[in-house]
Amino acid sequence: MNGPGRAEHPGSQALPTGTPGVLERLAQLGELLDGPADLTDIQAAAATLLGEALCADLIVQAGGGRPLWAVRADLIAAPLPEGAVTLAFTVPCCESAEWLAVRQDPQRPWTAQDQALLRTLGQLLRQIEVRRQQRRTVEALERQLQLALNTAPLLLWAADPDGTVQLAAGRGLAALHLRAGQLEGRSIHDLLSGVPRVPDLVRRAQQGETVNDLVQVGPRTFESWYLPLPPPDRPGSVLGIGYDVTELLESRQAAQTAQRQAETLLKLSRVLDDQQTLSRAAQDVLALIVTHFGSGWAALWTHVPGWFRLIVTHGDAPPALQAFQERGIPDSDRYGQALLAGQAVFLSGDQLPGAVRALGLQAAAMMPVTLDAVTGPRILTVYRSDPPVWTDSERDLLFAAARTVQVAHRRLESLQRLQTEAATDPLTGLGNRRAFERALRDSLQAGPCLLISTDLDGLKRVNDTEGHPRGDALLRAFASALRATFQPGASVFRLGGDEFMVIVPGVPAIAWALDGVVRAARSVQQAGFSGASASAGVARAPDEAHTAGDLIHLSDARMYDMKAARRRS
């Protein structure tokens, strides 16, 4: 066997045999295991211990073949003699190696006592190794805990059965404007007496219960745990752990607020998708605002000289403030002047009159909604009793609500204009063929009516001799004359060219209707179109026709009969 012998390693000299020597070796090994020794040092010390205890001539590591300990150094390089007695085993603190104890004297075989001693030493080594690992684990946990206390917003405290704080540490102390050492020696019950629920939680932990809760300490919020501590023979000690979750909760609240605002903005945009009146659109907007804030009430006002008057409201205003709403908002004060100038007004609690605050109003917002010069400005207002200030996100939401009302009005106005244009003859301003067909259908459903078909005679001659602008003027003059003759009640339409229709509700006489067309033609002649005249035909529903088609066919036929008769005469 080759390699350096144990005699060459510091501390490898053979010790006196017997128990004191073994115990001394064991103590040395225990110190080695607790220290920073590497595996080679531990293996050498274990070999020395076991060789001394077993009175073995040599202990080697199987596989590598390197001698680790020998009674006589001169045996290190010598081969094992024939008849040598060996015993293989493992060492708990060096489980990666297999060991071989050698006795060169065949007359000294391994006995049961030797094996029992080996087992006992093995158990002692195992205990030493377990204690070593436990100590290292505790040290690692201590380092981790210290790191957490120094870096995380933690607060760690411990109180004895009397409630006296024995330990208080962690960065969470700084969040409460406390320093290390300020809490030790003081009563935990006195320190936390003003914090809701905490004294009860501490008492429950003193009685052996593990509890946790969210605790508000001043402006900070802690996720807190309360754990009973041993010993069981003197219960009542408590370990408290608090994690400052203030920023986490604020971030979560901000995220929830942002989500609710996004949902409300989406719903506000959908208001524009509905074909509805401005009053209905405003009602939907006010309802969304009140739902978003969860309380309060909202209103839409219109402007009349001197005042803003209430037109739409949502939510329940306190009874004491209903009279204020019914009275209106004067436009002469600085807030009214700002609104008329297109400026929003946000009032927090300290800006409201004391009498108004006493009635329950803590915050108000007034948003101008510019519609058009005819309609005038509208004012979107929101009131609430809590909280007394408006956040930036809430202001943005209210601006969006005001824009929604404004866009809804303009969109509805545009739709109404398009509908009117689609049903209006652009030259005369009368209803066109589409409007006529819808009006005739409605009239037939409403009851008896008279339909007058009339053509303006002489239009072609005016266009050919005086020009189309003059012909357009003739058409407008005849349209005005028909409207003046048959209004109110009747509806006049231009179907195209020189064709006109008049719907008269009720059962007037046919002669009266024909005379009206004659009077309209005479009015046109007096306006400077001396050669103009008109032919007309009248049909009555339901006496003469029940459907729109039959009624039109009959009145047209009678008109053409009149036109033909006039040509023959």
Side-chain angles (χ1 to χ4, degrees):
M1 300 178 63
N2 299 318
R6 185 60 208 143
E8 299 176 5
H9 192 282
S12 64
Q13 305 300 325
L15 293 177
T17 60
T19 302
V22 172
L23 294 179
E24 185 176 351
R25 289 288 188 189
L26 191 60
Q28 292 175 354
L29 181 60
E31 293 176 0
L32 195 63
L33 291 173
D34 285 341
D38 59 21
L39 184 59
T40 301
D41 293 333
I42 294 173
Q43 288 175 338
T48 302
L49 169 65
L50 295 175
E52 182 71 26
L54 297 172
C55 299
D57 291 331
L58 186 68
I59 296 178
V60 300
Q61 183 179 6
R66 181 169 62 88
L68 298 177
W69 183 88
V71 174
R72 300 194 314 271
D74 59 337
L75 296 177
I76 292 177
L80 291 178
E82 293 185 6
V85 182
T86 61
L87 176 64
F89 58 92
T90 59
V91 179
C93 58
C94 304
E95 293 180 348
S96 61
E98 293 183 358
W99 299 77
L100 188 67
V102 179
R103 283 179 178 164
Q104 299 183 75
D105 185 357
Q107 301 301 319
R108 294 179 61 198
W110 297 104
T111 65
Q113 184 179 1
D114 294 330
Q115 295 180 359
L117 177 60
L118 185 62
R119 286 194 299 272
T120 301
L121 289 173
Q123 291 173 357
L124 290 173
L125 289 172
R126 171 61 68 186
Q127 292 174 4
I128 292 174
E129 174 65 11
V130 169
R131 184 168 66 85
R132 178 195 187 207
Q133 294 298 334
Q134 290 176 342
R135 180 172 177 178
R136 290 185 174 179
T137 300
V138 170
E139 291 175 348
L141 291 175
E142 288 178 347
R143 290 193 297 271
Q144 293 173 4
L145 177 59
Q146 193 60 48
L147 178 63
L149 291 174
N150 292 337
T151 57
L154 277 171
L155 174 59
L156 180 69
W157 58 267
D160 63 15
D162 298 327
T164 302
V165 177
Q166 302 296 320
L167 168 70
R171 209 176 58 143
L173 286 170
L176 300 176
H177 305 290
L178 297 172
R179 297 189 305 274
Q182 280 189 288
L183 302 183
E184 282 85 346
R186 302 176 63 181
S187 170
I188 192 67
H189 298 288
D190 294 340
L191 290 170
L192 301 177
S193 61
V195 182
R197 301 190 308 276
V198 171
D200 178 61
L201 296 172
V202 173
R203 282 191 291 269
R204 289 168 59 184
Q206 287 180 317
Q207 295 169 2
E209 186 179 354
T210 298
V211 291
N212 86 292
D213 197 3
L214 276 179
V215 174
Q216 190 76 28
V217 184
R220 313 301 295 181
T221 303
F222 287 83
E223 177 78 16
S224 301
W225 290 263
Y226 307 84
L227 303 93
L229 288 177
D233 57 340
R234 192 168 181 258
S237 296
V238 176
L239 173 65
I241 304 173
Y243 191 91
D244 190 347
V245 294
T246 306
E247 283 75 15
L248 176 63
L249 294 179
E250 290 175 350
S251 298
R252 186 179 301 168
Q253 180 64 36
Q256 293 173 349
T257 300
Q259 180 179 356
R260 287 195 304 109
Q261 179 163 341
E263 292 173 351
T264 302
L265 289 173
L266 178 61
K267 292 176 182 177
L268 284 173
S269 67
R270 289 175 177 169
V271 170
L272 302 177
D273 295 335
D274 298 332
Q275 303 293 332
Q276 53 186 348
T277 63
L278 178 61
S279 177
R280 175 62 185 278
Q283 184 69 41
D284 290 347
V285 169
L286 298 184
L288 286 172
I289 293 174
V290 173
T291 301
H292 176 82
F293 290 126
S295 62
W297 67 101
L300 187 68
W301 311 72
T302 189
H303 182 249
V304 298
W307 294 91
F308 293 104
R309 297 295 186 185
L310 186 67
I311 55 174
V312 181
T313 183
H314 186 86
D316 297 324
L321 289 173
Q322 290 180 357
F324 161 77
Q325 285 194 333
E326 293 173 358
R327 180 174 61 91
I329 302 175
D331 65 5
S332 57
D333 61 15
R334 60 191 181 101
Y335 298 135
Q337 292 299 309
L339 293 169
L340 289 176
Q343 302 172 9
V345 176
F346 291 93
L347 300 177
S348 57
D350 57 353
Q351 296 173 310
L352 292 171
V356 174
R357 291 200 305 271
L359 296 176
L361 182 63
Q362 294 298 317
M366 293 173 276
M367 316 291 298
V369 181
T370 304
L371 299 182
D372 52 51
V374 177
T375 307
R378 300 281 172 90
I379 304 299
L380 176 65
T381 59
V382 180
Y383 310 94
R384 65 186 185 190
S385 56
D386 185 71
V389 294
W390 299 99
T391 65
D392 291 341
S393 62
E394 290 171 341
R395 294 180 183 222
D396 292 341
L397 178 65
L398 293 178
F399 279 120
R403 286 195 298 270
T404 299
V405 174
Q406 179 175 303
V407 172
H409 169 80
R410 292 178 177 174
R411 179 175 179 176
L412 291 171
E413 186 180 59
S414 297
L415 289 174
Q416 291 172 357
R417 183 173 61 253
L418 290 174
Q419 292 172 353
T420 300
E421 291 174 353
T424 302
D425 173 46
L427 178 63
T428 63
L430 299 177
N432 59 14
R433 182 180 297 275
R434 179 181 298 176
F436 165 70
E437 291 172 350
R438 183 171 58 249
L440 182 57
R441 182 174 61 250
D442 294 341
S443 295
L444 291 174
Q445 293 176 353
C449 64
L450 205 68
L451 178 63
I452 305 171
S453 296
T454 179
D455 276 0
L456 177 62
D457 298 328
L459 175 63
K460 184 177 184 306
R461 182 186 58 78
V462 171
N463 283 334
D464 292 343
T465 60
E466 301 181 52
H468 285 281
R470 181 65 174 168
D472 292 343
L474 173 58
L475 289 170
R476 286 192 291 268
F478 188 56
S480 296
L482 288 175
R483 186 186 290 115
T485 300
F486 292 100
Q487 292 286 356
S491 300
V492 183
F493 307 88
R494 180 191 175 210
L495 303 191
D498 57 2
E499 299 179 56
F500 292 81
M501 289 285 190
V502 181
I503 301 175
V504 184
V507 287
I510 292 178
W512 169 85
L514 293 174
D515 182 64
V517 174
V518 172
R519 285 185 286 113
R522 188 177 302 118
S523 176
V524 170
Q525 293 170 358
Q526 294 173 353
F529 299 95
S530 58
S533 62
S535 301
V538 181
R540 190 193 304 276
D543 296 343
E544 298 178 316
H546 292 83
T547 68
D550 291 345
L551 194 64
I552 294 172
H553 179 75
L554 181 58
S555 65
D556 280 350
R558 289 174 176 175
M559 179 192 65
Y560 289 127
D561 289 345
M562 176 182 286
K563 189 182 294 286
R566 292 178 61 185
R567 288 173 180 170
R568 289 192 298 269
S569 62

